[in-house]
Each structure stands twice: as structure tokens, then as C-alpha cells.
Amino acid sequence: MPNQFYIQDWIKIKNGAIFNSEESVFAFSEDELNPFLKAAYDNLKLEYPKFHKMDGLSKLGILASEIIFRKNKATKDTALVFSNNASSLETDRQFQDSTKTFASPSLFVYTLPNIVLGEISIKFKLQSENAFFISENFNAELLQSYTESLLLSEKAPEVLCGWLDLQNGEYDVFLCLVSKEKNIPFSEENLKKIYCAENEKPTH
Amino acid sequence: MKNLYLLDDAIISPLGFSIEENIQAIREGRSGLKLQQKPEITENPFFAGIIDESLLNQTFSEIGATEDFTKLEKMILLAVKQILDKNINLDLTETALIIATTKGNINLLKEPGDFPENRLKLGQLGKVVANFFGFIQTPIIVSNACISGGLGLAVARRLCDSGKIKNAIVVGADLVSDFVISGFNSFQALSAEACRPFSKDRDGISLGEAAAAILVSTEKPKISGVINLIGDASANDANHISGPSRTGKGLYKSIQKVLKEASISSEEIGFLSAHGTATVYNDEMESMAFHRSGLEETPLHSLKGFYGHTLGASALIESIITKHSMLNNELFASKNFGELGVSKPLNVIRENQKQEISYALKTASGFGGCNLALIFKAEKK
């Protein structure tokens, strides 16, 4: 059966660098999470004050989706299908610490992995299908079959899917926009190939 | 999309460790919510539905070593075991395991006991359950706030549609941990009394813990009455991450989408299993979305007065109880409902009734602005 769907665009964020299918979008001298997030925010001229209230996972999701949706306009039905290993554990630990003194409601709200889907939906006005999966490793098979089902059943015209993980300050983001627009055929193999490719800046 | 039939199920909750005990308690109006004290978290006493651990260990000791598993794992393993015992010929190589949970073993963050650090990871929870029974496929973990349990059913249907799987065991489970008590308390969202969904005097949620599991299949079983999931839809409010849209726009959209997929009108819905957490804003928002969807006369209940809010388990438990309501032609009263306290009229069920239900709607909403709607069809004869 011919593949009807394509990876229209993709983005990776890892080790202080952001790059997409065409180029290096941003690279920073240090890869430590908070300085990197701040520098990327400034570099992109995001001008979205809510960003500063978010936890690390949501900030990473906002940066990645911003770059994707600047180039490729989202519709209100663009679905979000994300996955990771650590769930919201980074913020869970911070909230747990806060309970020793004063349990913080503003931390508690980020102790769910799907909050980033809410943040992205608010920023880009998406009233779409959401799903957040947890898996030990990047599960291309699950992302491929679930995303394809949403597209084939016309529950979504396009899907932003991928991996958004943050633990112990280390971040690993790979999101791709899947649609009917011709580009890289959307398959389990291609998902794996792009995700697993060495995170080096493209040379061209 | 393909049909997805709801087959054997199990609920481990304060109401009992079998589906029969759970249904009997609801039929008799018995709640699992009890007054709890946690002075180290809040000086105010609160109601919650908590499973007696010694009772759980006693029951679990028949199938495994109690010290090897966390409380949540024991609840899940007991639920799944009940289903496998009724389906001894089920081929686990082609059965997916889908686990829906918001926080899994989060209690280990504070008190790890003898468990290794990674045991609080949700992926690890999946492994423990899969290894216990010998599931071959990598477990699928859904963690999407308070719609997780219902979304687990939608995920099963969607993956069946892609031809990847033929059947699945969908699990929904969460604990009443100090973590979530602290969190909801910090939001001042805990009710001082047992929660009162849709009532005028409602003042917040009661938490609950439970594990539920259900076998679902694309193959129609050879039995006379069966319930079929014929529609599923989710939609984000795109409004706020910790509160619902005031107008219930995401919930309304998900209801419209699911009605369209099921090719039925709102008048054909005979019963509505609402989310009904008993917070001021949630129940109000639901009334807006239901009214706009033409569901103001549809009999509805919330089960939160029985179970409390079981978070990632809630929408699965409520789907399972809906399944039995449809099979037994009975509508259960909405526990702790007094005077209607939302701005749009609703038909909240006050007393158990005998009623045939052809189609039922299950809805859920959660943090992150997520909303879910499912439609079940009764196929009798």
C-alpha cells in the first residue's frame, strides 16, 4: 500500500542545539537547560511572557512547536501525539520538595506530562486530539500507527508527533509534523532513522 | 473505524475487589469515601476512597509475594488476573497491554522503601505488569491527566483500526498518594465532605484510588448481549492548563465529533456518564457543554460520590459501570446529589431506575484542557 502521509517537517532539540530538516536553527555555548531555554527564547524573539512561568518540559515543547508552526501553519485540528520516558518527573521532584515547606500549586499543575499539550494548544489555538504516551525508549511503531489512525479516520488533518523528554536536566526532543504534503514518507523506519541520526548540525 | 467490543472487566476499589461487589455497592448507594486525616499535609480532615492495604495484601498473597510489588501494582495485577482467569485461551502474544495512569507509583518518590529508584517510572510499571503475566508486546502507557482511562479505550480502538492489534487489555489505575493530596489541597480543591457532583452546595473533589481493567476486542463475541464502542473523540479547550473552559468548548467539540462518528443524534443518547468532579467550575462547564449539545434531558450521573476522583482510572471505571448499566437495563443514582447547582438544566438521576439504553455517552475532562467523549452501543440478541 503506498504511503499516503509524509513527514512534512521535523525538529530536534538536544545538547544546546536546535535544528530542523534544513538547517541549524540555534546553537548555544552551553547545554545546561535553563540558560539554553532562555537564550533560545531570546534568539527566536518569542515574546510570549507565559513562557517564563512554564516548567522545562513545557518550555521545550513551546520552542519546538513554535519553530515548526512558524514554517508550517497549524490548523485548529492539528493533533498532538507526544511521548517520553520520564513523564513529568523533573517537575514531580520539585513539587515533592515544595511540600516540605509550602506545597506549590503552580508547580503541581505541571506534574502531568500532557500539560505541555495544553500549553501548545493555547499558544497555537489548537482544539484538537491530544495523547501523551510514556515508553521506555522512542517507540516509532506506536507513534506511527497511532498517528496514521488519526489521519486515516480523519480525526485530524495533520499531526505533530514525537518525543519530548526531560530528566536530570538532560533534554531530548524530536517532533515531526505529519501530513499529506509530499516530503519524507511517513513510516516507522523513517521515524527511527531521523530520531536515531547523530545529532550533528547539518553540513549544508 | 472498526467496532471495539467491551468484554470481561474487573474493578479493584474500596467498594470491593470484584465487579459484582462494585456494582452491588453502587446499586445499594454505598460509597467508598471515608473521612481521612493527614495533619502533616492539611489540618482539615477530608474524604477519600482508600483501599485497605491489609485486605489487599491478603487477597494478593494468593497470586504473588506481597512484598515484591507496590500497592498500585498489586491493585493492577489483581484486576488483570481476574480477566485472564476468565479468558484462559487468550493469546498474550497478540494482546496489547494498555495502561492508563496519571501518576503511577508516585508515592515511591517520598517513600521508596526497598524498591529501586526507577520503580516510580511509568515505563517500569508497564514492565512489571507485562512480565508478571507474560505479555509479549511492549506495554502502551497513556498519561493524559483525568481523561487517561477513557483515552485508553480510544487508543485501543484506534490501534485496532490500524490493524496492529486485535484485542487489548486496557487498565486504568491511580493512588491516593500524599503527592496528589498535597497538590489538590494546594489548589484548595478538596471538599471537606464527601463530594457532591452537580449540587448547589458542592465545594470540591474527593480523591479516590482504584484499578480497573477490561478486555476489548474487534471480534464480536458469541454472546447474546454485548456493548460496542462505536465512537471516540478528544478535543483540547485551548484555554487554560489548570481549569476548564467556562463554556465547555472543548467538551462540546468532543461531543459533536463523537456523535458524528457514531452517526447518531443527541436525542438517541439514553444515558450520560458525566465526569462530575464536584468542583464549582468543572460541573458548571459540563452543564454548559451538555446543554449546548441538546443533552439537558438525558439521564446522567457522576460516580465520583461513590469512588471519589480516581484520576487516570476514573473514565475507565465509569465506562465499565456504563457497560453493566446497559447490559442490565439499569440507571444508577448520582450519589450525594441534592439541589441542582449549575446554570443549565440537567437530568441528574436521583433514584435507581430500570431503563433500556441503546446508546450511552461517556465524557471526561482534565488538566491541560483535555476533553474526551465516547459512545457505547448495546447490541442485544
Side-chain angles (χ1 to χ4, degrees):
Chain A
M1 194 179 77
N3 197 320
Q4 303 174 60
F5 304 107
Y6 302 88
I7 299 173
Q8 190 184 332
D9 197 2
W10 56 261
I11 178 121
K12 276 190 183 188
I13 307 181
K14 201 174 179 174
N15 300 332
I18 306 179
F19 50 97
N20 64 16
S21 51
E22 289 168 355
E23 58 186 353
S24 164
V25 177
F26 176 66
F28 192 55
S29 51
E30 55 178 314
D31 60 2
E32 201 185 315
L33 180 70
N34 287 322
F36 166 70
L37 289 170
K38 175 74 172 67
Y41 175 90
D42 291 341
N43 181 269
L44 289 170
K45 298 187 174 58
L46 207 53
E47 290 175 16
Y48 192 61
K50 272 187 199 166
F51 182 85
H52 304 293
K53 292 184 186 166
M54 295 176 194
D55 75 338
L57 198 65
S58 287
K59 284 180 177 170
L60 286 165
I62 288 287
L63 287 176
S65 52
E66 173 75 19
I67 295 163
I68 288 267
F69 291 140
R70 270 186 192 178
K71 255 176 74 190
N72 317 271
K73 210 167 157 28
T75 70
K76 67 179 190 338
D77 291 315
T78 303
L80 304 174
V81 178
F82 284 25
S83 59
N84 77 9
N85 170 296
S87 180
S88 54
L89 196 53
E90 198 89 342
T91 306
D92 293 356
R93 291 188 199 282
Q94 291 171 25
F95 174 72
Q96 184 72 54
D97 281 346
S98 83
T99 63
K100 289 175 193 155
T101 48
F102 186 77
S104 160
S106 54
L107 279 174
F108 182 64
V109 58
Y110 286 101
T111 61
L112 291 165
N114 65 299
I115 296 300
V116 60
L117 308 181
E119 293 286 16
I120 294 171
S121 299
I122 291 167
K123 179 146 196 334
F124 299 98
K125 301 183 172 61
L126 314 179
Q127 289 178 45
S128 58
E129 284 284 345
N130 287 183
F132 207 110
F133 295 104
I134 309 296
S135 46
E136 188 112 57
N137 301 304
F138 180 71
N139 187 342
E141 184 188 0
L142 173 63
L143 288 173
Q144 191 277 334
S145 49
Y146 190 75
T147 297
E148 191 168 88
S149 163
L150 289 180
L151 293 164
L152 285 172
S153 60
E154 297 182 347
K155 289 179 195 286
E158 60 270 313
V159 179
L160 183 66
C161 74
W163 183 257
L164 181 81
D165 196 46
L166 173 64
Q167 46 190 322
N168 304 320
E170 272 188 47
Y171 43 94
D172 181 14
V173 180
F174 166 54
L175 295 182
C176 54
L177 184 64
V178 182
S179 72
K180 283 191 169 161
E181 191 142 323
K182 281 208 168 181
N183 196 2
I184 309 161
F186 179 55
S187 66
E188 195 184 320
E189 291 68 36
N190 283 336
L191 274 177
K192 271 189 209 154
K193 212 176 355 179
I194 305 172
Y195 174 73
C196 295
E198 277 303 305
N199 285 331
E200 287 165 1
K201 288 171 227 164
T203 50
H204 54 277
Chain B
M1 282 188 73
K2 282 184 182 152
N3 292 320
L4 192 74
Y5 295 98
L6 309 189
L7 309 177
D8 289 308
D9 48 27
I11 298 176
I12 307 295
S13 83
L15 295 181
F17 293 173
S18 70
I19 192 72
E20 293 78 15
E21 287 172 274
N22 274 267
I23 290 174
Q24 192 54 26
I26 294 170
R27 197 177 277 136
E28 292 170 7
R30 277 187 282 123
S31 170
L33 299 177
K34 289 200 173 106
L35 192 66
Q36 313 283 341
Q37 302 270 6
K38 282 266 178 191
E40 69 280 16
I41 298 175
T42 168
E43 54 194 44
N44 305 318
F46 58 95
F47 276 76
I50 295 177
I51 292 174
D52 183 291
E53 203 150 3
S54 57
L55 203 59
L56 181 71
N57 283 336
Q58 199 186 322
T59 311
F60 186 80
S61 64
E62 289 167 22
I63 68 165
T66 54
E67 64 279 12
D68 291 351
F69 301 95
T70 66
K71 185 178 189 185
L72 187 76
E73 289 162 3
K74 284 181 266 200
M75 288 154 58
I76 294 174
L77 294 174
L78 276 174
V80 175
K81 181 76 166 65
Q82 288 182 15
I83 291 173
L84 295 180
D85 283 350
K86 288 182 193 160
N87 295 274
I88 44 173
N89 295 322
L90 188 69
D91 183 356
L92 290 189
T93 59
E94 55 174 37
T95 303
L97 174 64
I98 300 174
I99 300 178
T101 181
T102 63
K103 298 308 311 165
N105 283 318
I106 192 67
N107 54 330
L108 299 184
L109 197 54
K110 191 176 166 192
E111 287 165 352
D114 294 329
F115 294 104
E117 201 191 346
N118 72 350
R119 195 67 167 251
L120 65 85
K121 291 270 195 81
L122 299 185
Q124 205 57 32
L125 175 65
K127 265 193 183 169
V128 167
V129 179
N131 291 345
F132 189 87
F133 296 109
F135 284 90
I136 305 296
Q137 300 184 17
T138 307
I140 294 165
I141 316 276
V142 181
S143 189
N144 214 93
C146 299
I147 71 167
S148 300
L151 190 60
L153 286 175
V155 166
R157 182 165 181 253
R158 292 164 183 188
L159 292 177
C160 281
D161 200 49
S162 75
K164 290 271 175 182
I165 56 172
K166 263 198 244 156
N167 44 42
I169 290 181
V170 181
V171 175
D174 262 311
L175 287 179
V176 176
S177 57
D178 285 0
F179 187 97
V180 294
I181 298 168
S182 302
F184 282 101
N185 185 57
S186 77
F187 268 118
Q188 299 178 311
L190 296 179
S191 174
E193 291 180 48
C195 68
R196 300 178 293 287
F198 301 109
S199 296
K200 204 168 189 174
D201 59 352
R202 70 186 185 278
D203 65 348
I205 69 165
S206 299
L207 289 165
E209 63 188 12
I214 185 165
L215 175 65
V216 294
S217 176
T218 52
E219 281 172 28
K220 189 168 180 175
K222 294 180 187 72
I223 48 175
S224 58
V226 64
I227 304 304
N228 181 0
L229 174 62
I230 60 165
D232 59 72
S234 84
N236 196 290
D237 285 332
N239 177 74
H240 200 282
I241 52 167
S242 60
S245 144
R246 288 199 175 220
T247 57
K249 68 178 171 183
L251 179 58
Y252 172 76
K253 183 172 176 178
S254 61
I255 293 170
Q256 297 315 303
K257 280 165 68 182
V258 81
L259 287 170
K260 193 176 164 202
E261 185 181 51
S263 301
I264 60 167
S265 68
S266 60
E267 295 85 58
E268 290 174 87
I269 302 288
F271 166 65
L272 167 53
S273 174
H275 189 49
T277 61
T279 67
V280 171
Y281 290 117
N282 174 80
D283 295 8
E284 172 64 18
M285 170 287 281
E286 284 187 70
S287 83
M288 304 282 275
F290 295 155
H291 184 262
R292 210 177 144 200
S293 301
L295 292 162
E296 67 271 18
E297 283 172 20
T298 310
L300 77 83
H301 73 202
S302 160
L303 290 177
K304 301 295 191 288
F306 292 100
Y307 289 100
H309 192 347
T310 56
L311 309 174
S314 63
L316 186 63
I317 289 178
E318 291 152 12
S319 294
I320 289 172
I321 299 297
T322 297
K323 180 197 114 172
H324 289 279
S325 283
M326 297 175 85
L327 288 174
N328 301 332
N329 301 322
E330 60 182 336
L331 297 178
F332 296 121
S334 199
K335 180 103 183 131
N336 301 338
F337 178 64
E339 192 184 332
L340 185 71
V342 289
S343 59
K344 299 292 178 189
L346 291 176
N347 181 7
V348 183
I349 304 167
R350 288 183 179 275
E351 293 198 356
N352 294 351
Q353 297 160 30
K354 278 295 191 186
Q355 177 83 52
E356 197 160 319
I357 312 158
S358 301
Y359 297 99
L361 173 65
K362 167 77 210 119
T363 64
S365 303
F367 275 7
C370 52
N371 299 275
L372 177 81
L374 304 172
I375 289 181
F376 302 105
K377 181 184 183 190
E379 295 181 3
K380 297 181 181 177
K381 277 170 257 172

